[in-house]
């Protein structure tokens, strides 16, 4: 993929629709979906709607036969409104409102995540007889992830076994175990270790006469930002082998990709609205910032960034900041941009299809970025080497 | 004010409207406005709309005769739509879109903030002949503030003097200097030091034949969360004295309160949706979190928190977290709550009228808190001693 060619296309979109604009290419979403399904044996993709809930993405995945991981009632309603059957939804948030559980159950959803006694009680009361799966935490493995999720979510293997038993006592149907190695995890072996942990819960359940059949490997497959990542093929191979080695080859493998499904399908185009010098620092301010889609920049995410039309010019060091009256609204304090970048230049941030517009606010009265669907990348997302 | 009585009122609102709900009392906004105007000599309040842009608050302040500090075109449009005259608006963001400057100018706004050459050029081109004021930074003073603003905003005194000259060269009208001691600043002497800095710019401008008359003291007056704060009276006295000592008694003092105008006028009521034990930690999850109004908890803001109906019960240590599938969504890792807090209890966070709903997202498909106006506090906000 030629970066200058992609950037010219992005420029045309920005000129037509204004900035900030998130340009999404559905071809890439489709390719990402197919790559996952092709590589992980006996798998189902439950797309994590929270990563990017735009209706066009949901419709595409509906047509591809995807399943969906939902976090709240509004997400369920959105999927029902486009004809996704409740059998294709899993209510994967371990912190559900009681009335949302009722709503889900009354609309046919029968699959729920749990990691605590109280959540099991809520489901037993409001969604009797449903399938549940227990989320275990993956202590230690998340050192390789950009966003660990362990402390808030999941429980120990020992406690998970108790929860499986408790669910049966309350006449629920435990079908398996889920884990999440942390968002944007760089070490494939973590999936193997997690699946080995899962196998302990399966084993103990079997001893209690409970036959489970599903391993939910969560999300966490990384998207290429600035550093190199293991490929989907590599991680899939580890998952496939670990499932056979530790659980059994007929196990249903549930995947919950969010970032790895839509991240590489999007590019955010912003305009430079001011350049100024502060002491020795050169500051560039754009019309999108951390309150308008670029939230993850203040965590660990280093997007690849380029000034459109200045790809071949000499670079310099800059501070890149957003447009609001808030000092937190700074994306990067040390980024390389074309030295002569100036007002009205377009700056593109690649691989911004996930967890961008979903985090947008209207802070300072400024509206979230528009979302436009265009065939920008044609067949594959932009990678550095081409 | 009796806390239990206030909480009973909040409970009725929550039962009527559902949770999460931000309950705002306009009496408190009015009292805060009047206290400021009464205490700072020769002053005008430009309310920082970004703190809480709810139309009811804007209408109240319109009727009280307030001026408004705006950050973007949508904020201007909102004020125009309720009949606020452009003469009562200051475009105080130092990072404005060029076309927003045109829009402001074409609608009669003539007052703009600057801290860089390029911003002056944009205003000279798109709002010719307008009043400008230069924002200086307040290095060092912000050690006493919860949210320093210096690195992104403002410039040195020496550079400010150059900018005043540059504005005159481009036929703009420099009327004064602004500063901001940082949001939630605890040391009144910082205002004195800042005004002394401002006086240097005034002096040098006078030598160039430019007579300025306005000092914009920004925001930064603190709201009482958990620690003690200096009173509005105390800070006002410092400002009044410094203006006379360093600038001159006929100086117009512009105030840009946001937090100190609306913070104490609001209380956020959330419901407990899950309680669980993770290892040794007790976790309580509510239906609002950092993506749904409680964003500032992950910065330095420690709201006072209470479980309604359990005010007099024994307390214990908890982790307080929000409802989304995101590990960042944790408000406090070490908070005291009633030991027996459980599902469906209402938890109130006081002094949440500023910078809460403005930061809300729809992440996880979950809607922002509702906003309801009720006479909750009657005459004054809740303080600890009563």
């Amino acid at each position: 993929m030629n970066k200058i060619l992609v950037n010219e296309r992005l420029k045309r979109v920005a000129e037509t629709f204004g900035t900030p604009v998130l340009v999404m290419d559905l071809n890439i979403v489709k390719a990402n979906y197919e790559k996952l399904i092709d590589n992980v044996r006996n798998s189902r993709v439950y797309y994590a709607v929270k990563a990017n809930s735009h209706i066009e993405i949901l419709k595409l995945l509906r047509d591809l036969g995807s399943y969906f991981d939902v976090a709240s009632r509004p997400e369920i309603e959105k999927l029902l409104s486009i004809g996704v059957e409740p059998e294709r939804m899993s209510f994967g948030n371990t912190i559900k409102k009681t009335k949302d559980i009722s709503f889900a159950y009354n609309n046919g959803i029968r699959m729920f995540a749990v990691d605590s006694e109280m959540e099991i009680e809520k489901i037993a009361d409001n969604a009797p007889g449903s399938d549940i799966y227990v989320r275990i935490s993956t202590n230690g493995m998340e050192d390789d992830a950009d966003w660990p999720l362990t402390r808030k979510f999941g429980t120990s293997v020992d406690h998970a076994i108790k929860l499986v038993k408790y669910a049966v006592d309350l006449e629920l149907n435990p079908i398996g175990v889920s884990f999440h190695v942390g968002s944007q995890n760089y070490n494939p072996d973590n999936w193997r270790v997690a699946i080995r942990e899962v196998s302990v819960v399966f084993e103990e359940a079997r001893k209690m006469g409970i036959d489970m059949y599903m391993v939910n490997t969560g999300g966490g497959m990384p998207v290429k930002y600035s550093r190199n990542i293991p490929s989907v093929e590599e991680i899939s191979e580890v998952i496939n082998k670990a499932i056979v080695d530790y659980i059994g080859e007929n196990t249903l493998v549930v995947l919950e990709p969010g970032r790895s499904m839509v991240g590489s399908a999007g590019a955010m185009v912003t305009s430079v609205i001011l350049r100024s010098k502060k002491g020795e620092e050169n500051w560039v301010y754009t019309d999108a910032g951390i309150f308008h889609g670029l939230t993850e920049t203040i965590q660990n995410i280093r997007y690849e960034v380029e000034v459109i039309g200045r790809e071949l010019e000499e670079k310099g060091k800059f501070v890149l900041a957003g447009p609001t009256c808030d000092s937190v609204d700074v994306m990067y304090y040390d980024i390389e941009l074309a030295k002569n970048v100036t007002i009205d230049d377009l700056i593109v941030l690649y691989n911004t299809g996930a967890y961008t517009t979903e985090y947008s606010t209207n802070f300072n009265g400024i509206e979230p970025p528009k979302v436009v669907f265009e065939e920008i990348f044609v067949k594959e997302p932009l990678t550095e080497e081409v």
Side-chain angles (χ1 to χ4, degrees), chain A:
Chain A
M1 222 39 269
N2 181 307
K3 188 190 274 182
I4 292 177
L5 183 67
V6 168
N7 286 356
E8 273 170 18
R9 291 190 192 131
L10 289 170
K11 186 179 179 183
R12 278 201 298 277
V13 177
E15 282 168 354
T16 308
F17 295 93
T19 60
V21 59
L22 175 64
V23 189
M24 296 286 303
D25 188 335
L26 288 175
N27 290 321
I28 306 297
V29 180
K30 183 165 182 282
N32 288 341
Y33 175 83
E34 287 167 351
K35 192 189 257 186
L36 266 178
I37 282 287
D38 289 350
N39 279 281
V40 183
R41 276 192 55 247
N42 203 15
S43 66
R44 272 187 200 164
V45 163
Y46 281 72
Y47 172 60
V49 175
K50 58 184 170 285
N52 190 329
S53 64
H54 197 288
I55 197 99
E56 294 302 323
I57 295 168
L58 302 183
K59 283 180 180 170
L60 171 78
L61 290 169
R62 172 199 64 192
D63 296 343
L64 290 172
S66 183
Y67 292 70
F68 297 88
D69 170 53
V70 299
S72 68
R73 171 173 173 159
E75 288 188 356
I76 296 168
E77 289 173 320
K78 203 168 187 176
L79 289 169
L80 290 173
S81 79
I82 57 166
V84 174
E85 304 81 0
E87 295 76 21
R88 286 163 73 183
M89 299 182 210
S90 161
F91 206 155
N93 190 342
T94 52
I95 312 148
K96 294 173 281 296
K97 283 194 159 191
T98 302
K99 59 186 177 189
D100 287 4
I101 297 172
S102 297
F103 176 84
Y105 182 76
N106 292 334
N107 281 279
I109 295 176
R110 294 291 180 271
M111 188 170 166
F112 299 89
V114 301
D115 67 359
S116 65
E117 277 78 4
M118 190 181 273
E119 199 69 13
I120 290 178
E121 291 159 10
K122 284 155 65 181
I123 294 167
D125 286 349
N126 298 281
S130 289
D131 293 345
I132 61 104
Y133 57 96
V134 179
R135 180 162 171 175
I136 60 167
S137 62
T138 51
N139 276 319
M141 297 173 220
E142 310 209 347
D143 297 348
D144 300 308
D146 278 346
W147 290 53
L149 297 165
T150 277
R151 196 160 167 195
K152 185 174 176 188
F153 302 106
T155 190
S156 66
V157 164
D158 286 351
H159 188 224
I161 295 162
K162 289 194 187 109
L163 291 177
V164 167
K165 173 77 171 54
Y166 191 53
V168 171
D169 290 346
L170 298 192
E171 296 177 6
L172 293 170
N173 182 35
I175 61 167
V177 176
S178 75
F179 61 86
H180 200 300
V181 293
S183 194
Q184 192 73 1
N185 196 305
Y186 297 98
N187 183 357
D189 193 54
N190 285 324
W191 275 269
R192 181 189 64 77
V193 176
I195 292 167
R196 194 183 54 194
E197 298 278 287
V198 168
S199 72
V200 179
V201 185
F202 267 66
E203 196 93 358
E204 292 301 316
R206 216 167 281 142
K207 288 183 195 161
M208 295 186 281
I210 305 160
D211 258 320
M212 303 199 292
Y213 60 87
M214 185 274 276
V215 175
N216 179 331
T217 63
M221 290 206 194
V223 161
K224 184 161 189 344
Y225 297 115
S226 295
R227 63 184 270 199
N228 285 323
I229 57 166
S231 67
V232 168
E233 289 83 351
E234 243 176 291
I235 296 171
S236 301
E237 214 181 292
V238 171
I239 292 175
N240 290 339
K241 183 162 185 326
I243 290 287
V244 173
D245 287 355
Y246 300 127
I247 315 268
E249 61 180 333
N250 294 323
T251 313
L252 172 67
V253 178
V254 161
L255 307 164
E256 284 178 359
R259 192 182 298 279
S260 62
M261 190 81 93
V262 293
S264 61
M268 182 85 79
V269 188
T270 66
S271 295
V272 174
I273 58 179
L274 178 66
R275 174 179 172 159
S276 72
K277 213 170 159 68
K278 295 191 171 288
E280 289 309 297
E281 289 172 342
N282 285 296
W283 283 62
V284 167
Y285 302 86
T286 59
D287 57 2
I290 70 146
F291 296 106
H292 298 88
L294 302 174
T295 315
E296 288 197 315
T297 57
I298 55 165
Q299 311 282 346
N300 289 320
I301 303 294
R302 293 287 304 194
Y303 297 119
E304 202 194 327
V305 176
E306 195 64 78
V307 183
I308 298 182
R310 297 187 189 272
E311 295 85 353
L312 306 175
E313 293 181 14
E314 197 190 339
K315 309 230 170 198
K317 282 259 180 219
F318 288 88
V319 180
L320 188 66
T324 66
C325 305
D326 197 315
S327 56
V328 176
D329 191 9
V330 175
M331 282 80 83
Y332 300 116
Y333 277 99
D334 59 341
I335 193 163
E336 300 238 304
L337 295 174
K339 216 167 169 175
N340 293 323
V341 57
T342 191
I343 187 166
D344 294 333
D345 276 350
L346 296 172
I347 291 185
V348 54
L349 299 99
Y350 303 100
N351 297 320
T352 37
Y355 300 110
T356 49
T357 45
E358 295 296 324
Y359 283 133
S360 273
T361 72
N362 284 288
F363 188 51
N364 271 218
I366 299 170
E367 280 160 24
K370 287 166 281 286
V371 182
V372 171
F373 289 83
E374 288 281 344
E375 297 200 358
I376 291 300
F377 301 109
V378 186
K379 281 211 188 105
E380 52 185 41
L382 197 66
T383 56
E384 245 166 37
E385 56 278 18
V386 278

